[in-house]
Amino acid sequence: MAQKLLVITPTMASKYFIMKKVVYKEGDIFLISLGDKIFTGLIVKRKEKSKILLGYFWPIQINTGNDFLNTVLSIPPILIRQFSGLGFDLGRWKVIGRLLEWDSNNWPVPEFKKKDFFTNNYYAVQYDDDLEFMNERLITFKEASHLFEDGLSGFEALETRLLSL
């Protein structure tokens, strides 16, 4: 009798396997390895009592050598995004260290942009330090072009987004 093969995707894995409890907090630096591309992330905020995080993300260039962190943090991030911490629990992302002298005041929650597709209007969206919605205001297209998109990504959506940049 032929055996059937069950293919488990990372999303399904959380339903079938015990996930490892990983401790991660504000100021932690982590790696996301996606084939031949590697990204580093910095956890800037964590929504109280949840796995919702705000992170700044940078690509890692192989030629940055041993001082890659200072090199990476000296350039603007390619993405600032709210995301799920499930990638840590599934072992896909690795915490590699912590910023020395971490001060969350140096890493504010920025304004994000949101587009209303019915009116084509853009809005600047603000969150507080616990990632709770505060308000939004109408902005121009030019102002919106300088902001990162508002939203929350699951761990796979975040990986896909990073690969698209």
Side-chain angles (χ1 to χ4, degrees):
M1 179 185 291
Q3 292 185 354
K4 291 184 179 180
L5 177 64
L6 175 63
V7 177
I8 308 258
T9 66
T11 303
M12 294 168 55
S14 63
K15 297 176 186 172
Y16 297 102
F17 299 105
I18 297 173
M19 294 184 294
K20 183 178 175 185
K21 175 88 170 151
V22 179
V23 177
Y24 45 88
K25 55 188 177 267
E26 293 178 5
D28 282 351
I29 300 157
F30 62 100
L31 291 180
I32 300 175
S33 181
L34 302 172
D36 61 344
K37 293 187 178 182
I38 302 173
F39 300 89
T40 190
L42 172 64
I43 299 173
V44 173
K45 301 290 179 196
R46 182 171 186 169
K47 189 173 179 98
E48 189 175 335
K49 298 180 182 178
S50 79
K51 292 185 182 291
I52 304 301
L53 308 164
L54 176 71
Y56 285 51
F57 298 91
W58 298 266
I60 293 181
Q61 302 296 326
I62 300 302
N63 61 359
T64 56
N66 292 335
D67 198 26
F68 84 91
L69 191 56
N70 286 331
T71 303
V72 166
L73 295 178
S74 68
I75 60 174
I78 61 167
L79 182 65
I80 300 174
R81 188 82 174 159
Q82 291 187 56
F83 64 101
S84 161
L86 186 58
F88 295 108
D89 297 331
L90 293 175
R92 297 262 297 252
W93 305 339
K94 304 289 184 220
V95 174
I96 59 167
R98 183 166 174 75
L99 277 186
L100 296 176
E101 301 175 16
W102 169 252
D103 183 355
S104 64
N105 294 320
N106 294 331
W107 300 91
V109 177
E111 282 189 319
F112 293 94
K113 69 180 169 191
K114 177 176 82 172
K115 181 178 181 181
D116 182 326
F117 288 98
F118 293 111
T119 64
N120 283 326
N121 288 332
Y122 285 91
Y123 295 88
V125 181
Q126 291 182 314
Y127 295 90
D128 65 17
D129 283 344
D130 194 36
L131 305 178
E132 293 292 333
F133 174 82
M134 287 177 35
N135 61 47
E136 64 184 28
R137 62 184 172 81
L138 186 64
I139 59 174
T140 65
F141 172 78
K142 185 176 180 180
E143 290 173 295
S145 68
H146 300 288
L147 301 176
F148 290 100
E149 290 180 18
D150 184 32
L152 171 64
S153 294
F155 82 97
E156 289 178 321
L158 177 64
E159 291 176 349
T160 300
R161 180 77 174 115
L162 286 169
L163 285 172
S164 74
L165 298 174

